[in-house]
Amino acid sequence: MHALTTLAVNRSITQLEQAGTRYIEEQLFYAVCHTLLAPLRVALAKVRIALTLPAPLSRASVARVLARWIDHHGVPDGLLRSGLEPAGEVRPPPAADLDRYGLPQVLVCQDTNIALMLRANAFDLELACPVFTAQAWPLPDPIIAMLRRAHRSRIMILHDASLSGLALARQLAATAPPDIPLQPIGLRPRHAKTLRLCAQRRIPPSMLADLALAHDERRWLQRGWQAEVAAVYPIKLLRALRAIVSATPQPVSWRTRWRFFVTSGFTSWPAWQEAL
């Protein structure tokens, strides 16, 4: 098994480096697991069976092989080491500049390391979507002001497929600005099963009654399953988030339209049409 683990680590690092993305150690662990389970995942995809798979390796075993790999080859160029990379939050621009700009959306991540990975891949700069962590909630007042200045602004929540992840959006909504939509974007249990992710099995949660869940998602959680965002292959995660962030927002409600017309002059109508 040791030789197989070593081979899987070597192949996973090679593939991740060829993709040209930055990645964290948790993503490398899941990439190794998916490499070992590749034949089974392909077979399940052919017969269209959606389910999660237990990780075939422990994190400790992969960490030992990675440590030996680093001793021989050095740290992979794309690997972000935990505790060795800057993990500071986004700093809003000086207050004097905020009156000129609006911000259409921000992304809040449950996992601090996933937020670090997204920033390292310039996700926030490429899509004009600052990335925050749930630990930094509530968002800074200047960021809230910029969101309010933009039409159809939203706060997106990226969380694990777990009880804590699904409850995160509800917890944040309690202190979120009431005039800015808060949109959870996953993972949900159905996402984890459709993607056939490696998942962990823990003690089943005792409190699920307050969450809006489909029957199969509730059963999945009751069996103790939980899947991390890090289980999604880095390049697939970036592509999925780019598609979500670039998607056309939902139509503006009539209340928002009415507030716009009441607070603007008649010459503002063409600008509103452009915003739509």
Side-chain angles (χ1 to χ4, degrees), residues 13 40 61 173:
I13 291 177
L40 176 58
S61 62

Side-chain angles (χ1 to χ4, degrees), residues 21-275:
T21 58
R22 306 296 303 276
Y23 54 94
I24 56 177
E25 293 183 43
E26 290 88 347
Q27 289 174 313
L28 175 58
F29 164 72
Y30 284 111
V32 173
C33 293
H34 289 159
T35 297
L36 290 175
L37 294 173
L40 176 58
R41 297 177 76 230
V42 170
L44 291 173
K46 287 182 177 179
V47 294
R48 299 183 179 181
I49 295 178
L51 51 78
T52 45
L53 302 169
L57 299 170
S58 67
R59 295 175 187 266
S61 62
V62 174
R64 287 193 296 268
V65 174
L66 175 61
R68 286 192 290 271
W69 197 97
I70 291 176
D71 289 339
H72 287 86
H73 306 283
V75 178
D77 294 336
L79 180 62
L80 299 166
R81 304 297 302 277
S82 299
L84 300 180
E85 302 290 338
E89 294 294 340
V90 178
R91 295 183 178 180
D97 295 337
L98 294 183
D99 292 338
R100 305 186 183 95
Y101 302 104
L103 188 63
Q105 53 204 350
V106 300
L107 178 65
V108 178
C109 299
Q110 179 185 10
D111 190 335
T112 302
N113 288 330
I114 289 294
L116 171 64
M117 174 262 182
L118 294 176
R119 296 192 201 110
N121 285 285
F123 174 87
D124 50 344
L125 299 178
E126 176 187 350
L127 297 170
C129 179
V131 178
F132 292 87
T133 64
Q135 290 78 5
W137 190 268
L139 297 176
D141 290 339
I143 296 296
I144 296 298
M146 295 175 72
L147 286 168
R148 285 177 172 149
R149 197 168 293 115
H151 296 304
R152 303 185 186 181
S153 60
R154 57 178 173 170
I155 300 173
M156 296 172 291
I157 310 298
L158 179 64
H159 57 80
D160 296 336
S162 63
L163 177 62
S164 61
L166 294 169
L168 178 64
R170 184 173 182 177
Q171 296 168 2
L172 299 186
T175 55
D179 54 336
I180 302 177
L182 193 144
Q183 178 185 356
I185 59 175
L187 291 173
R188 293 188 65 91
R190 67 172 181 270
H191 300 149
K193 292 192 293 184
T194 301
L195 295 172
R196 301 171 187 87
L197 298 180
C198 283
Q200 306 292 330
R201 203 161 189 177
R202 306 288 171 81
I203 299 176
S206 57
M207 298 295 293
L208 291 175
D210 296 336
L211 296 177
L213 295 169
H215 177 68
D216 59 331
E217 291 185 315
R218 189 177 298 273
R219 287 186 58 191
W220 187 83
L221 289 171
Q222 288 173 338
R223 292 173 179 173
W225 287 109
Q226 59 182 43
E228 298 177 321
V229 173
V232 183
Y233 202 72
I235 189 67
K236 290 185 178 180
L237 176 63
L238 289 170
R239 287 174 180 169
L241 290 177
R242 287 190 184 109
I244 293 172
V245 171
S246 302
T248 303
Q250 295 297 320
V252 183
S253 68
W254 67 268
R255 292 184 180 87
T256 303
R257 293 170 181 263
W258 176 254
R259 283 197 299 268
F260 180 88
F261 287 123
V262 167
T263 57
S264 61
F266 68 92
T267 56
S268 299
W269 181 79
W272 175 255
Q273 287 294 97
E274 293 177 4

